[in-house]
Amino acid sequence: MQDNFAFLKRLYNSFDPFRPLPAGDPAYVDCTEVRGDGDILVEVGREILLSNRMTCQLYAGHRGAGKSTELLRLQKHLDEQGCFVVYFAADEEDIDAEDAQYTDILLACTRHLLEALKDSASPNTLLNWLEERWQDLKDLALTEVSLKSLSVEAQISQFAKITANLRAEPSQRQKIREKVNPHTIKLIEALNQFIKDAKQHLPSGYSQLVLIADNLDRIVPIPQEDGRSNHDQIFLDRNEQLKALDCHLIYTVPISLLYSSQAANVANIYGNAQVLPMIMVQTPNNENYQRGINKVTELLQKRLTLIDPSLSIVDMFENREALEILCLMSGGHVRNLLLLMKEAIKYTNSLPIPTRALQRSLSELRNTYRNTVFANEWEALAKVYHSKQIENDQLYRGLLFNRCILEYRYLNEQGGSQVWYDIHPLIKGINEFQDTYNQLYPS
């Protein structure tokens, strides 16, 4: 029994849905062909490598679709091409996704550039900026120390405390912003002087500097009284500052921003944002798409192989039909796929995974989606399922952000990218959805 439990524990942890795969990880599966043929190395990477000027690009997709894994792959690719890449996941140490503003992002970018490049350039310009503000900021950094008495390393550490408190101390957050906001232009000037110096002293073999700010797509949309949102305030109102850093920039953005009334403005400011769609496991005609199902199965198989190369993912279930149900009900959403698999293992005492355990896993996630949808949203979901299209409306954007509506892409016969939408497959089994759909579209 102990050996069986030990194996189930290894199996359970191999399907961790919250760990992005580092570049070159043996569990990685290239899903380009079932995601509309999009490739971040081409669509984002070549823009950087071919451009004679500094670029600022947006990268979007549903949370949990695999953006971080793709960005880490891009980081490795750019590194091999002579780009010094500073990557950070903003919500891990720097911002609170429930309450984030532009100032938080600027301070986070400053901190990570400072920490990554302190050995390549003099940080004096940035530390001078900090020293000028220190009397106002030191209480907010929860310290009484004098900045002048500290070493450069310790001064950088004090800067990090401020950004850490932006995320961890809600009571301090607005106070920090109020102290920093009037001085952001000066901060950008100081940061660019630091970047300029750093680019001239990059380690051997590097000629470009790239900053990737990941997980900004998790910033929760907050509607404003004028009908706009905090997303508009960050990425549109502050676009000049976001683009002002003198290096190549990649920001992840909420997918809902690209389907707002501001979509044309976003494109005019940043160019076409690259989107990572779902893995297509069904066609727009609601038929199973075997190539996509095979890719999803491969995702599971790769992780199983790392535990025991002799095992087949098919043998992990009572029958092949159960495996196909798992693939379809994930909607091609990688995090949901792994989460469903992990939860099914949790309810398993011995292999193969009982179909009953899988159904329990599915019903629990289905209940999560039921609780996510408001009463006035069922009709919109029914319309999307029927038409495979979305409307330019706040209600639909909210459903995109919450992953109740998923985006898919494929190449049409002319080689163009065809975009379509569907509701998450688990929603189809919810009574409220079925009742609404039958009322709108009686058979």
Side-chain angles (χ1 to χ4, degrees), residues 275-311:
V275 178
L276 181 69
M278 297 294 100
I279 298 170
M280 201 169 89
V281 291
Q282 282 193 313
T283 71
N285 296 323
N286 302 319
E287 298 172 344
N288 292 359
Y289 185 59
Q290 198 57 50
R291 287 174 64 189
I293 293 172
N294 292 344
K295 278 294 179 184
V296 171
T297 303
E298 185 182 350
L299 279 167
L300 298 173
Q301 180 64 57
K302 284 258 183 130
R303 291 174 183 255
L304 178 61
T305 299
L306 294 177
I307 297 178
D308 188 336
S310 68
L311 295 176

Side-chain angles (χ1 to χ4, degrees), residues 84-88 94 105-123 126 156 159 163 187-188 190-196 198-199 202 208-213 242 244-249 251:
F84 188 96
V85 182
V86 179
Y87 167 95
F88 70 97
D94 303 288
I105 298 171
L106 175 60
L107 288 172
C109 291
T110 303
R111 171 198 168 183
H112 286 278
L113 284 166
L114 192 54
E115 291 179 344
L117 297 166
K118 63 181 183 292
D119 296 329
S120 299
S122 168
L126 282 173
I156 293 173
F159 194 100
T163 64
L187 175 55
I188 291 172
L191 181 54
N192 276 338
Q193 186 59 46
F194 173 71
I195 290 172
K196 181 180 179 181
K199 287 196 294 188
L202 291 173
Q208 295 280 5
L209 177 62
V210 180
L211 175 68
I212 300 176
L242 280 174
L245 303 190
D246 191 21
C247 60
H248 293 286
L249 299 161
Y251 298 109

Side-chain angles (χ1 to χ4, degrees), residues 33 35-37 280 284 289 291 408-420:
E33 63 176 309
R35 277 182 157 157
D37 210 32
M280 201 169 89
Y289 185 59
R291 287 174 64 189
Y408 299 88
R409 297 186 180 211
Y410 65 91
L411 292 184
N412 59 29
E413 293 179 356
Q414 290 73 40
S417 180
Q418 195 74 34
V419 181
W420 63 284

Side-chain angles (χ1 to χ4, degrees), residues 11 14-15 27 29 293-307 311-314 316-317 322-328 330 333-342 345 353 358:
L11 194 63
S14 70
F15 295 102
V29 175
I293 293 172
N294 292 344
K295 278 294 179 184
V296 171
T297 303
E298 185 182 350
L299 279 167
L300 298 173
Q301 180 64 57
K302 284 258 183 130
R303 291 174 183 255
L304 178 61
T305 299
L306 294 177
I307 297 178
L311 295 176
S312 167
I313 192 64
V314 176
M316 292 293 104
F317 296 87
L323 172 60
E324 186 159 301
I325 288 172
L326 170 63
C327 296
L328 290 171
S330 74
H333 185 280
V334 176
R335 182 174 295 164
N336 276 183
L337 172 73
L338 299 177
L339 181 63
L340 288 167
M341 183 69 178
K342 187 168 73 81
I345 294 168
I353 297 170
L358 175 60

Side-chain angles (χ1 to χ4, degrees), residues 63 364-384 395-396 398-406 422-434 436-437:
R63 287 166 294 152
E364 288 186 353
L365 188 55
R366 182 178 288 114
N367 285 334
T368 299
Y369 277 100
R370 176 187 284 114
N371 296 334
T372 300
V373 179
F374 290 102
N376 65 321
E377 294 175 330
W378 293 113
E379 183 173 324
L381 291 170
K383 288 180 178 179
V384 171
L395 185 146
Y396 288 83
L399 292 168
L400 268 170
F401 185 83
N402 291 330
R403 291 155 298 181
C404 293
I405 297 175
L406 302 177
D422 205 349
I423 64 174
H424 194 291
L426 288 172
I427 293 176
K428 299 172 190 176
I430 298 174
N431 290 335
E432 290 90 335
F433 169 77
Q434 293 175 348
T436 303
Y437 186 83

Side-chain angles (χ1 to χ4, degrees), residues 45-46 135:
R46 284 189 187 169
Q135 195 58 41

Side-chain angles (χ1 to χ4, degrees), residues 83-236:
C83 297
F84 188 96
V85 182
V86 179
Y87 167 95
F88 70 97
D91 64 335
E92 289 185 357
E93 298 177 326
D94 303 288
I95 70 167
D96 180 352
E98 300 287 335
D99 175 22
Q101 294 184 12
Y102 159 76
T103 307
D104 312 3
I105 298 171
L106 175 60
L107 288 172
C109 291
T110 303
R111 171 198 168 183
H112 286 278
L113 284 166
L114 192 54
E115 291 179 344
L117 297 166
K118 63 181 183 292
D119 296 329
S120 299
S122 168
N124 288 341
T125 55
L126 282 173
L127 296 180
N128 288 341
W129 179 92
L130 182 60
E131 186 176 326
E132 290 172 5
R133 315 275 94 73
W134 191 243
Q135 195 58 41
D136 290 335
L137 290 172
K138 69 178 184 179
D139 291 341
L140 303 178
L142 304 181
T143 181
E144 290 298 325
V145 301
S146 168
L147 205 64
K148 288 183 178 179
S149 66
L150 300 177
S151 66
V152 169
E153 195 76 30
Q155 289 183 57
I156 293 173
S157 176
Q158 293 302 317
F159 194 100
K161 281 187 178 181
I162 295 172
T163 64
N165 286 343
L166 268 170
R167 183 179 185 277
E169 301 287 341
S171 61
Q172 302 283 58
R173 195 173 296 143
Q174 191 55 36
K175 295 177 183 177
I176 294 174
R177 291 168 182 159
E178 288 172 358
K179 299 294 185 184
V180 173
N181 263 330
H183 308 287
T184 54
I185 299 301
K186 290 291 185 183
L187 175 55
I188 291 172
E189 289 176 358
L191 181 54
N192 276 338
Q193 186 59 46
F194 173 71
I195 290 172
K196 181 180 179 181
D197 189 19
K199 287 196 294 188
Q200 293 173 353
H201 299 91
L202 291 173
S204 177
Y206 295 102
S207 59
Q208 295 280 5
L209 177 62
V210 180
L211 175 68
I212 300 176
D214 195 6
N215 291 355
L216 299 179
D217 58 300
R218 298 182 183 181
I219 296 175
V220 175
I222 302 174
Q224 310 297 310
E225 291 182 1
D226 60 1
R228 302 170 81 245
S229 76
N230 57 323
H231 292 169
D232 297 325
Q233 293 173 342
I234 293 170
F235 296 103
L236 294 174

